[in-house]
Amino acid sequence: MNISNLFKAKKIIFSLEIFPPKKESSVNVIYNTLLKMRGLPADFISVTYGAGGSEAQRQKTWEIASLIRSTYHVEPVAHLTCVNSDEQEIIETLQKLKENQIQNVLALRGDINPDVTPKCIFRHASDLAAFIRSQDLSFNVIGACYPECHFESDNLDKDIENLKFKIDNGVTHLISQLFFDNNSFYRFLDKVHAAGISVPIQAGLMPIVNKNQIEKIVTLSGASVPAKLSGILSRYSNNRNALKDAGILYATEQIFDLISHGVHGIHLYTMNNVETAVRISENIQNIISAENNEPEYV
Ligand code: FAD
């Protein structure tokens, strides 16, 4: 199914993101994760792609995406980066996706490793999006966006100017980088709409459930940490369960506020953490159903 159609049928889309098991872990780990996530009200599940990983590692993306479709009957989205792949490798991956009936691709550039010469013929995700569309394989192409600006851009206005290239090249919807401050997302939406971008934008959220996570996540994502969240982190930093509960509550409140402001969708970066995915889904399930005018289960 082309998931761009979902946005026409539903007011709010809810999706989950998982990553393939690391090289040293057994692939069964992810099967167990998916088994436990079975039944969550996800409109799609996306699977990340290791831009700097080996071919065998990257192959896991479409293998897992295929499993999600065939075994769990949920629509998968396969992430695809271009920074460390040549044209032939990208064509081969697209063919694998097609063979496995995976119709939705999140087209990304990937992070540039300054120590590795990029193989890529595409400089930006928008070039990859155009290439995927040109292959005439009927993929639905999705793109990434950055409410607090991508770190390589001088400012948000410039980043949004560049974002328009993705839309011009056929991207049908956007998934945002994670953020903890909803106001930054609302400011971003205002600017994006003023720039003439009207495709649906899903808000990317990641619950902070342990104290080792936060520093790494903030460094990688560039997300700002509001005083309320840093207060929670310091107050409960020595109590694992309290911190987990507080992190889940914080993310749930963020989602509720986003829904109240009319966002088109929520994308949960699960980090393969089943408990977080289940608890957040339970917290918001009835609210999303009500917003989508779905029948109430009693
Ligand atoms: P681009 O859109 O190419 O943007 C990169 C920079 O170039 C930006 O500063 C942009 O403003 C600028 N730019 C874009 N187009 C132009 C242009 N035409 N001219 C001049 N400048 C331009 N990484 C992975 O390795 N694997 C994953 O699975 C993965 N999944 C992700 C999922 C989401 C939802 C998000 C938000 C990010 C994900 N990433 C993933 C990280 C992503 O690869 C990095 O953030 C990367 O640095 C940028 O990728 P992009 O596709 O946004 O690049």
Side-chain angles (χ1 to χ4, degrees):
M1 187 209 345
N2 177 330
I3 59 170
S4 68
N5 292 328
L6 280 176
F7 287 97
K8 294 174 197 146
K10 284 180 153 191
K11 195 172 154 199
I12 298 174
I13 299 302
F14 178 61
S15 57
L16 305 173
E17 178 175 303
I18 60 166
F19 57 80
K22 304 270 180 247
K23 210 169 33 192
E24 59 280 6
S25 319
S26 151
V27 84
N28 288 337
V29 174
I30 199 69
Y31 297 160
N32 288 333
T33 305
L34 284 168
L35 199 62
K36 290 179 193 153
M37 286 183 182
R38 193 175 207 160
L40 294 187
D43 291 299
F44 67 86
I45 298 180
S46 82
V47 189
T48 65
Y49 189 82
S54 65
E55 191 45 42
Q57 182 66 16
R58 292 190 290 191
Q59 183 171 319
K60 287 181 185 164
T61 299
W62 59 258
E63 286 175 352
I64 294 165
S66 175
L67 179 89
I68 290 170
R69 195 192 62 76
S70 60
T71 307
Y72 300 102
H73 309 295
V74 176
E75 204 55 41
V77 167
H79 296 207
L80 177 62
T81 65
C82 57
V83 68
N84 288 321
S85 304
D86 60 29
E87 186 175 325
Q88 191 51 36
E89 285 167 338
I90 289 170
I91 291 174
E92 284 166 15
T93 304
L94 291 174
Q95 279 163 351
K96 283 288 175 205
L97 295 177
K98 199 71 202 166
E99 281 163 27
N100 285 277
Q101 296 168 51
I102 297 157
Q103 236 190 308
N104 302 284
V105 181
L106 175 53
L108 299 146
R109 188 201 61 190
D111 282 332
I112 295 171
N113 178 344
D115 302 326
V116 176
T117 316
K119 281 186 182 177
C120 185
I121 52 158
F122 308 118
R123 289 192 61 198
H124 293 291
S126 52
D127 304 319
L128 175 63
F131 180 74
I132 296 172
R133 300 284 297 204
S134 74
Q135 294 303 292
D136 214 14
L137 292 166
S138 334
F139 284 111
N140 174 50
V141 187
I142 303 156
C145 63
Y146 302 83
E148 296 182 90
C149 190
H150 185 266
F151 65 94
E152 287 170 29
S153 276
D154 291 340
N155 57 58
L156 190 55
D157 291 330
K158 185 70 202 160
D159 204 26
I160 291 172
E161 236 175 74
N162 293 333
L163 188 58
K164 285 174 79 174
F165 294 120
K166 291 188 194 181
I167 314 303
D168 295 344
N169 288 354
V171 160
T172 59
H173 105 254
L174 297 165
I175 303 180
S176 91
Q177 178 61 287
L178 65 94
F179 58 89
F180 303 112
D181 178 1
N182 285 2
N183 287 327
S184 63
F185 188 69
Y186 301 140
R187 276 192 296 272
F188 171 72
L189 287 185
D190 285 345
K191 278 180 178 272
V192 159
H193 294 152
I197 294 175
S198 57
V199 298
I201 302 182
Q202 278 186 275
L205 295 184
M206 183 187 287
I208 296 296
V209 289
N210 72 63
K211 68 174 176 181
N212 301 329
Q213 233 184 341
I214 185 77
E215 216 169 285
K216 193 169 167 204
I217 285 167
V218 167
T219 312
L220 285 176
S221 66
S224 56
V225 180
K228 184 176 170 188
L229 182 58
S230 55
I232 288 174
L233 293 170
S234 55
R235 197 164 343 137
Y236 301 117
S237 63
N238 294 321
N239 185 321
R240 273 179 51 211
N241 286 335
L243 183 61
K244 195 200 298 171
D245 286 355
I248 288 172
L249 276 174
Y250 186 90
T252 303
E253 275 178 24
Q254 250 193 299
I255 295 173
F256 189 51
D257 183 72
L258 288 161
I259 291 173
S260 312
H261 278 79
V263 295
H264 286 297
I266 306 292
H267 183 69
L268 196 65
Y269 293 98
T270 71
M271 302 299 285
N272 295 0
N273 182 326
V274 174
E275 184 187 352
T276 323
V278 169
R279 287 179 61 185
I280 293 200
S281 300
E282 282 173 0
N283 287 348
I284 59 168
Q285 184 164 4
N286 291 332
I287 291 163
I288 291 187
S289 287
E291 292 286 340
N292 285 333
N293 288 323
E294 285 162 359
E296 189 179 359
Y297 290 104
V298 280

